[in-house]
Amino acid sequence: MIKAEQKSIEKLLEYLAPYGKIMLAGCGACVTVCQAGGEKDVALLASALRMARQKTGQPLEILEVTPARQCEPEFALELADPIGKVEAVLSVSCGVGVQTLARHFPATMIFPGVNTKFLGETVAHGVWEERCQACGDCLLEKTAGICPIARCAKQLLNGPCGGSSQGKCEIKQETDCAWQLIYDRSKSLGRLHRLTEMIPAKRWGVQSRDSGPRRIVREDLKV
Amino acid sequence: MSNFEPRIVAFCCEQSGVPAAEMAKSLKLEMPSDLEFVPVPCSGRIETLQLMKALESGADGVVVFACHEENCRYLQGNRRLKGRVGYAKRLIAGIGWEKERLDVFNLATNDGVKFAELLREKAEQLRPLGPSPGK
């Protein structure tokens, strides 16, 4: 899922300085899992913001809402009525949610309350790690389920660099070498022979990142 | 300010804080005059939000009495609480409130004397800070 971290409270107070009544909008999906913007996190952040403004003598009224998702129009539009009653919105959803609200409510300033970091896995309670960079052409079948784009510091596609040592990455020594992991898993699955197949370089400029926002269209689903 | 008596909310784990409080009362030990005790089955039951809400609602100080590490009846409750208090302390510091207004103390069932002493020390620490900014 998308993983995010809340911005510093100092930054959020700076955003909200001109306002007396805001909506703090959470999201029931990804940011709930990484405890950055779910219902509990909204309540906690709202409490902290009110306390901060109590100290400065400029009370802040906060309307707390946490729709199931902020990135779907049906859920975002549920906020239409309450948004009309506030001066601005602080969204602790990922960047997608912030932009969905901004698109549907053009007359209201929507501030981002979190930094959207990566697509990742929960590796332990309170620990999340990047696993996918949405390259658009998944090659996990070739690499035994371990992604060299997300997990290799150099995004190498055909084996480790010369710096791989004792299963660790030369760039960041606490990180496992992705290609060591790929090798080990391929061996345990009896798929080592797949590693002799060359994976061609990614065509970033054509496939994904250099031509603006990507789009998927399902004609069969369009009404 | 010299007449100011801080209002302290004390969350007490039923395995340690509550029996220690009862011992302190039965020994008639001196304790701050404006105290509110909140018993909880385990300190791990306390959510970060509850600590913040206690401060937001006007407590001058919030303390948690939890079992010693390695001694939690429910294994990790006091460790979870420690993380939550740490998070709340960072939030409080970030909004410019004094970090002394929130604290956690570890004690055992028979630490009645320590219980009263910690509360008196906390009240001493809070007096010069004055009433909570939330009032």
Side-chain angles (χ1 to χ4, degrees):
Chain A
M1 296 180 98
I2 293 173
K3 303 301 176 199
E5 264 183 326
Q6 268 187 20
K7 287 181 178 284
S8 70
I9 191 94
E10 293 88 349
K11 178 58 76 177
L12 300 180
L13 287 166
E14 193 187 305
Y15 288 161
L16 300 177
Y19 307 107
K21 185 173 180 182
I22 63 145
M23 172 187 286
L24 178 50
C27 175
C30 307
V31 289
T32 295
V33 173
C34 61
Q35 302 201 23
E39 190 174 345
K40 275 189 185 179
D41 312 297
V42 162
L44 188 53
L45 180 58
S47 182
L49 291 170
R50 280 190 298 263
M51 286 164 69
R53 292 281 287 259
Q54 275 170 348
K55 185 170 170 151
T56 61
Q58 299 166 292
L60 180 64
E61 194 182 331
I62 303 178
L63 179 60
E64 300 168 38
V65 292
T66 306
R69 289 194 289 287
Q70 273 189 38
C71 53
E72 306 275 352
E74 290 83 356
F75 294 118
L77 289 169
E78 283 175 5
L79 305 180
D81 193 42
I83 273 188
K85 301 181 171 101
V86 299
E87 297 164 62
V89 176
L90 177 63
S91 167
V92 283
S93 165
C94 70
V96 182
V98 175
Q99 292 181 75
T100 305
L101 293 188
R103 179 164 80 91
H104 289 287
F105 305 111
T108 307
M109 182 61 201
I110 317 287
F111 289 98
V114 306
N115 292 319
T116 305
K117 296 286 205 173
F118 52 75
L119 307 174
E121 176 194 348
T122 302
V123 295
H125 192 70
V127 184
W128 300 279
E129 212 169 89
E130 188 168 20
R131 288 290 180 263
C132 176
Q133 291 191 358
C135 70
D137 185 12
C138 188
L139 46 69
L140 287 172
E141 173 266 331
K142 300 178 201 291
T143 57
I146 291 151
C147 181
I149 304 294
R151 300 186 68 173
C152 172
K154 300 176 184 178
Q155 298 186 337
L156 299 175
L157 291 178
N158 290 285
C161 68
S164 171
S165 173
Q166 308 291 323
K168 294 295 184 186
C169 175
E170 71 169 352
I171 306 294
K172 203 169 168 188
Q173 268 137 31
E174 59 267 31
T175 303
D176 292 330
C177 169
W179 277 99
Q180 182 70 59
L181 296 174
I182 291 168
Y183 176 85
D184 291 341
R185 188 140 198 277
S186 299
K187 188 172 179 185
S188 70
L189 288 171
R191 290 171 74 90
L192 264 183
H193 60 282
R194 299 303 306 277
L195 298 186
T196 62
E197 298 163 16
M198 287 295 291
I199 299 175
K202 288 280 186 186
R203 291 153 64 226
W204 296 118
V206 174
Q207 278 173 322
S208 54
R209 301 180 189 181
D210 287 359
S211 31
R214 294 171 277 181
R215 180 176 260 244
I216 297 171
V217 179
R218 285 274 303 270
E219 294 294 341
D220 59 306
L221 296 176
K222 285 167 73 171
V223 184
Chain B
M1 194 86 85
S2 57
N3 294 329
F4 167 63
E5 195 53 40
R7 176 167 176 71
I8 300 175
V9 171
F11 289 89
C12 297
C13 168
E14 281 175 3
Q15 323 308 323
S16 54
V18 168
E22 284 165 359
M23 180 188 270
K25 280 182 196 160
S26 69
L27 292 173
K28 296 186 171 41
L29 297 173
E30 190 194 329
M31 286 193 280
S33 58
D34 195 352
L35 279 176
E36 180 177 347
F37 293 111
V38 182
V40 289
C42 172
S43 59
R45 180 63 186 85
I46 303 164
E47 296 277 357
T48 319
L49 180 63
Q50 287 157 341
L51 300 170
M52 296 295 283
K53 283 289 191 191
L55 287 168
E56 191 185 347
S57 308
D60 299 302
V62 173
V63 296
V64 181
F65 289 101
C67 295
H68 289 290
E69 283 197 38
E70 307 300 330
N71 248 11
C72 178
R73 178 178 179 173
Y74 303 103
L75 308 180
Q76 305 278 8
N78 52 2
R79 283 213 181 98
R80 293 179 194 276
L81 180 273
K82 189 177 166 186
R84 290 167 193 166
V85 168
Y87 187 82
K89 276 180 172 274
R90 284 194 299 279
L91 262 182
I92 289 166
I95 62 173
W97 284 41
E98 302 92 343
K99 60 181 176 4
E100 292 82 4
R101 295 195 184 271
L102 174 63
D103 232 326
V104 57
F105 302 115
N106 298 101
L107 39 64
T109 318
N110 59 352
D111 271 336
V113 172
K114 187 175 170 188
F115 180 89
E117 194 178 285
L118 287 167
L119 280 172
R120 287 195 304 270
E121 282 171 5
K122 181 50 70 180
E124 273 304 309
Q125 206 181 33
L126 291 172
R127 272 189 206 101
L129 302 181
S132 150
K135 286 188 168 151

